[in-house]
Amino acid sequence: MTTLSRPDLSDIHRGDWVDRRLPAAWRPYTRLARLDRPVGIWLTLFPCWAALIQASHGLPDLRRLAIFSLGALLMRSAGSTVNDIVDRKFDGHVERTRFRPLASGEIVTLQAFIFLTVELALAASLLFFLTPYTRLIAICVLPLVFVYPLCKRFTHWPQAILGAAFNWGMLMAWAEATGHIPAGAVLMWAGAIAWQIGYDTIYAYVDLKDDTRLGLKSTAILFGRHGKALIGLFYALAVGAWSLGGWLLEMSPPYAIGMLVIAVHLAWQTQRIDLSRPEVNYRLFLANILTGVLLACAALSGTW
């Protein structure tokens, strides 16, 4: 797969810490949960932390922070397991995913289902530490978790479904901290969805050729050569929603400075996009960890 002009785009790298430090029996499950590729965990955690900070009007207590952090980790891992189960017949034909445990035959589907059951049970155990209202909001995300992996078969907008599910913890944070979800919090969530459509479209361009060949759908395929402009549009919508949401939530003036920094960072990303270079787009996708950090910092500064 690798040539002198194009690097191997596989998201699993043999000889990494998983291969060096874990028993052989643990390795496929670690990769199934994406613990070797934690970018998705960070992209889930930082918006959730930002919402917790806003809802708490400052740093949240450690108990609540721990519960939501564990929940984000477990549900992101469970979602990844569902995705790999559903896509097991496609992943082996995609350069980026061909070495994933189910696609490569390291484990069978039944083992993955058992592992998924354990992940969901652990996540469900956290519900006992939340209010009844928050539990109800948490349960409502399950249809999105299970529907998302199928979306690429019938809609060009799987990134929107993923964004709604990925950032559901933002709504839960407000439900838990205040007992209600204000309009500003919904706008913050909507902004996170727009942001995710932007950065996950960048990610989808990495798989563009393989997805097209397999008859799958994505925003990258839909946007085509207009991707750079449309990703920039969704990034602008994200900053706009976060700015308006912060205003409705009565964030202090430093929050606006944080939004300006985020806008500059996302503009830099958009300017750097090269639709013909998957390796560049993958690095830009990773740069959104910094966007999440900036969002959490902006939320904290807005409570001063």
Side-chain angles (χ1 to χ4, degrees), residues 9 19 37 44 59 76-77 145 160 205 219 231 234 254 293:
L9 297 173
D19 288 334
R37 289 152 286 158
T44 305
L59 291 175
R76 191 264 176 174
S77 298
V145 172
Y205 272 103
T219 45
I231 290 167
F234 277 100
V293 172

Side-chain angles (χ1 to χ4, degrees), residues 100-280:
R100 289 184 176 177
L102 282 166
S104 64
E106 287 184 80
I107 58 173
V108 299
T109 307
L110 177 60
Q111 292 171 300
F113 270 115
I114 294 172
F115 183 63
L116 173 62
T117 301
V118 173
E119 290 176 303
L120 291 175
L122 289 172
S125 70
L126 296 174
L127 296 178
F128 291 103
F129 301 98
L130 303 176
T131 65
Y133 180 50
T134 309
R135 291 175 201 160
L136 177 62
I137 299 299
I139 291 170
C140 289
V141 77
L142 289 177
L144 295 178
V145 172
F146 287 102
V147 166
Y148 161 69
L150 299 171
C151 288
K152 65 185 71 174
R153 291 155 174 79
F154 60 83
T155 177
H156 283 99
W157 294 93
Q159 282 73 22
I161 305 301
L162 181 63
F166 235 56
N167 298 289
W168 199 260
M170 299 176 76
L171 302 179
M172 290 176 57
W174 278 93
E176 181 67 15
T178 68
H180 72 289
I181 304 173
V186 175
L187 268 174
M188 295 297 297
W189 176 63
I193 295 174
W195 170 48
Q196 182 140 7
I197 292 173
Y199 74 68
D200 213 61
T201 299
I202 295 175
Y203 195 37
Y205 272 103
V206 176
D207 297 335
L208 183 64
K209 291 182 180 179
D210 289 327
D211 284 349
T212 302
R213 175 173 49 82
L214 293 169
L216 300 175
K217 302 178 188 295
S218 71
T219 45
I221 293 172
L222 178 66
F223 295 171
R225 61 187 178 86
H226 303 293
K228 189 169 184 173
L230 290 171
I231 290 167
L233 173 62
F234 277 100
Y235 277 168
L237 289 173
V239 174
W242 286 338
S243 298
L244 181 57
W247 178 72
L248 290 176
L249 295 173
E250 300 182 346
M251 293 284 99
S252 62
Y255 180 81
I257 298 174
M259 288 298 104
L260 178 61
V261 174
I262 289 174
V264 170
H265 176 64
L266 293 179
W268 169 82
Q269 281 191 38
T270 304
Q271 191 275 328
R272 291 277 298 163
I273 293 170
D274 187 338
L275 303 182
S276 64
R277 297 183 64 190
E279 70 280 6
V280 172

Side-chain angles (χ1 to χ4, degrees), residues 45-46 48-53 56 58-72 126 130 176:
L45 277 176
F46 282 118
C48 185
W49 286 346
L52 274 175
I53 290 168
S56 303
L59 291 175
D61 65 76
L62 290 178
R63 175 183 172 277
R64 187 171 290 162
L65 186 64
I67 291 169
F68 274 83
S69 298
L70 283 172
L126 296 174
L130 303 176
E176 181 67 15

